[in-house]
Structure formats: structure tokens, C-alpha cells
């Protein structure tokens, strides 16, 4: 007894049951990942990259909505508790933020990319910017590109990128910004 309660000892059977449950969940997740990858468009890397670019381009003109978007498309934005997104009414809009647009675009190619932008930076191999290819994600951060990552866009070739830029603007294609906030690597979600 402990504090008036009967405490049962932990048995090996209980440990095995929990371990078996965890392995079962891990197995289900792995099967889902494999099924998602198998559902990717057939073809080589170039076809998969083009599918991601085309899917992103299909959203040109959709409003920016902070916290908006997922693998299935645009969603309602969320509040930033009195910040700039709220001032633009993002929580009332259906749209994408930068990482939601990437999640949507890459879902059409079989690549598994999930928000936020700082997490997306680790969802594929890093490549130096002088080796950037269409379909690579580029990132922007404070402190000369070395601080916290706050923005992501997709490089689409010819010096251009597609992005959901910020509150008050829409999904757009622009020249790739090479300012002092550009992180000095890209991430390649479709290796």
C-alpha cells in the first residue's frame, strides 16, 4: 500500500503490452508513409518536382492566411493574438501561410512536408544555394539568415520562387530574394 492505495507491481506482461502497442502504432504509421509514397505520381524526380510546382501554381492569387493551409488545400487562418495577422483579418480568411502552401504543393508529389517553416527546413537533404534546383525549398530567417527561420518558399527555376508571402498579400511568383535574411542552404524534399 502506498498512501492508502494498493499499488500493483509492474509486470513484464504490462511492459510487453505497452511495447507491443507502441510497435503496432509505429507499424501503422510506417504503412501510411509507404502508402502515401506509393501514391506519388509515377515517373522520375523531374515529374514529381513538376507536380509540386504545378500544384503550388494552381493556388496563385489565393489569400495569405496565417496558420492556413494543409495537404488538402487552403484552410481558415488562425489568430496571432492581436498581431499583424489579426490586423489583416487572417483568422477570417481561407488561404495559405508559407508553410501550409509548401505542405499542399509537395503532397501532390508524394513528398511528406509538414509545417512550420522551421521544421520544413529539416525535411529533406540540405543543398548549397549554388546547387539549387526547381522544387527546392528556400528559407528566410532573422540575424543575417542565421536566426529563427520564419519564412519558406519554393524555388521554381529561372531565378523565381512561389510563396505565400505575408498578411495582406496573395500567393505569388516573384524573383528569389537574395537579401541578408536568406538562409544559406535549400532543402530538397524530393531528392
Amino acid at each position: 500500500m502506498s498512501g492508502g492505495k494498493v499499488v500493483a507491481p509492474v509486470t513484464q506482461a504490462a511492459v510487453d503490452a505497452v511495447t507491443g502497442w507502441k510497435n503496432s502504432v509505429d507499424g501503422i504509421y510506417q504503412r501510411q508513409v509507404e502508402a502515401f509514397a506509393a501514391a506519388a505520381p509515377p515517373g522520375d524526380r523531374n515529374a514529381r518536382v513538376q507536380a509540386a510546382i504545378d500544384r503550388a501554381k494552381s493556388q496563385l492569387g489565393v489569400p495569405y492566411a496565417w496558420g492556413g493551409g494543409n495537404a488538402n488545400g487552403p484552410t481558415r487562418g488562425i489568430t496571432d493574438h492581436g498581431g499583424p495577422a489579426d490586423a489583416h483579418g487572417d483568422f477570417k480568411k481561407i488561404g495559405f501561410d508559407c508553410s501550409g502552401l509548401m505542405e499542399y504543393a509537395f503532397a501532390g508529389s508524394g513528398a511528406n512536408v509538414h509545417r512550420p517553416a522551421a521544421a520544413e527546413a529539416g525535411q529533406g537533404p540540405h543543398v548549397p544555394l549554388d546547387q539549387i534546383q526547381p522544387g527546392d525549398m528556400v528559407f528566410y530567417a532573422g540575424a543575417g539568415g542565421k536566426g529563427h527561420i520564419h519564412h519558406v518558399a519554393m524555388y521554381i527555376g529561372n531565378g523565381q520562387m512561389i510563396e505565400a508571402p505575408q498578411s495582406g498579400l496573395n500567393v505569388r511568383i516573384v524573383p528569389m530574394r537574395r537579401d541578408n535574411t536568406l538562409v544559406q542552404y535549400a532543402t530538397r524534399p524530393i531528392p
Side-chain angles (χ1 to χ4, degrees):
M1 281 181 69
S2 172
K5 297 179 182 176
V6 176
V7 178
V10 175
T11 65
Q12 187 60 44
V15 170
D16 291 345
V18 170
T19 302
W21 174 83
K22 181 189 178 304
N23 290 341
S24 175
V25 169
D26 288 348
I28 290 168
Y29 174 75
Q30 184 60 38
R31 285 190 298 280
Q32 288 174 337
V33 168
E34 290 166 1
F36 190 66
D44 61 14
R45 178 184 185 278
N46 291 337
R48 293 180 66 207
V49 166
Q50 193 59 54
I53 292 171
D54 291 346
R55 194 159 153 118
K57 284 182 174 180
S58 76
Q59 301 304 304
L60 286 169
V62 171
Y64 180 95
W66 193 71
N70 61 33
N72 298 314
T75 63
R76 185 171 305 282
I78 60 174
T79 182
D80 66 349
H81 306 288
D86 284 0
H88 284 92
D90 285 10
F91 60 93
K92 299 176 193 171
K93 296 178 184 173
I94 303 295
F96 289 101
D97 70 4
C98 61
S99 58
L101 179 63
M102 296 302 106
E103 185 173 342
Y104 174 76
F106 286 106
S109 70
N112 203 4
V113 172
H114 295 289
R115 62 173 19 143
E120 290 176 346
Q123 296 174 13
H126 292 174
V127 294
L129 291 177
D130 64 355
Q131 296 175 25
I132 196 168
Q133 296 178 8
D136 290 348
M137 293 186 293
V138 294
F139 300 91
Y140 295 85
K146 296 181 178 160
H148 177 74
I149 291 173
H150 59 80
H151 186 62
V152 59
M154 183 193 302
Y155 181 72
I156 60 171
N158 297 319
Q160 295 189 309
M161 65 183 195
I162 188 167
E163 67 176 347
Q166 66 187 39
S167 297
L169 298 174
N170 297 331
V171 174
R172 65 187 185 178
I173 294 174
V174 295
M176 188 173 128
R177 291 183 300 282
R178 291 186 175 267
D179 60 23
N180 70 347
T181 65
L182 178 63
V183 174
Q184 293 303 299
Y185 63 82
T187 296
R188 186 164 292 157
I190 305 173

